[in-house]
Amino acid sequence: MNYIIRDMKPEEYPLLSDFLYEAIFIPEGVQKPDRTIIHQPELALYIEDFGQADDICLVADAGVTVAGAIWSRIMNDYGHVGEDTPSLAIALFEEYRNQGIGTVLMKAMLQRLKEAGYRQVSLSVQKANYALRMYEKAGFRTVRENPEECVMVRKL
């Protein structure tokens, strides 16, 4: 599949609602929640008023559509580890998963954050989520955990 990695354009920021919904991990056999779940405060903070000074979003542009997005911002979310550490979210539409696009997006974002002067980035992931392996391969290390989730940090 052909795609390019580029900055998300401000007029595309509404797409973050779709990607936030896609980023919600749904264990096998569990019904997807209603889309309104993204309006709950603990999820809405990932995208509300996106476009602030510290917000960064890269997309995989497949020409006819945006296949995936990775974004970061400084926020007090599930993966928060400090005021100088941006938190990361990544999602691909289902038909574009397992093609290596997420890994390419991740590498591009890690480079962008390093160039922006950040020393580390964090994220939260459920232990049952297959993406956990991708994060480990990308150099993220668990800094705290509970029985279901872990918070991971990647030095830049």
Side-chain angles (χ1 to χ4, degrees), residues 42-62:
E42 64 272 17
L43 292 177
L45 64 91
Y46 283 86
I47 60 172
E48 278 182 342
D49 299 319
F50 195 85
Q52 305 304 309
D54 292 321
D55 295 346
I56 300 172
C57 183
L58 302 175
V59 297
D61 184 335

Side-chain angles (χ1 to χ4, degrees), residues 122-142:
S122 67
L123 58 81
S124 175
V125 61
Q126 289 182 300
K127 291 179 178 178
N129 189 331
Y130 64 90
L132 176 64
R133 272 27 104 218
M134 179 187 75
Y135 301 144
E136 290 172 337
K137 286 180 184 177
F140 283 84
R141 299 294 170 247
T142 299

Side-chain angles (χ1 to χ4, degrees), residues 5-9 12 56-59 112:
I5 305 299
R6 62 168 175 80
D7 288 317
M8 179 177 259
K9 299 171 189 168
E12 295 173 317
I56 300 172
C57 183
L58 302 175
V59 297
R112 176 66 64 83

Side-chain angles (χ1 to χ4, degrees), residues 9-76:
K9 299 171 189 168
E11 62 268 21
E12 295 173 317
Y13 290 165
L15 283 174
L16 287 174
S17 294
D18 295 330
F19 286 116
L20 179 59
Y21 184 71
E22 290 296 323
I24 298 169
F25 175 67
I26 312 297
E28 197 154 324
V30 175
Q31 186 175 347
K32 276 188 160 190
D34 187 82
R35 279 188 60 88
T36 58
I37 193 171
I38 67 169
H39 300 295
Q40 292 182 0
E42 64 272 17
L43 292 177
L45 64 91
Y46 283 86
I47 60 172
E48 278 182 342
D49 299 319
F50 195 85
Q52 305 304 309
D54 292 321
D55 295 346
I56 300 172
C57 183
L58 302 175
V59 297
D61 184 335
V64 295
T65 189
V66 173
I70 186 167
W71 66 102
S72 72
R73 67 188 332 192
I74 305 248
M75 60 183 154
N76 192 6

Side-chain angles (χ1 to χ4, degrees), residues 106-124:
M106 179 65 73
K107 287 179 181 176
M109 178 59 86
L110 293 175
Q111 183 61 38
R112 176 66 64 83
L113 290 168
K114 184 176 182 176
E115 290 168 0
Y118 293 106
R119 295 189 352 245
Q120 63 182 13
V121 62
S122 67
L123 58 81
S124 175

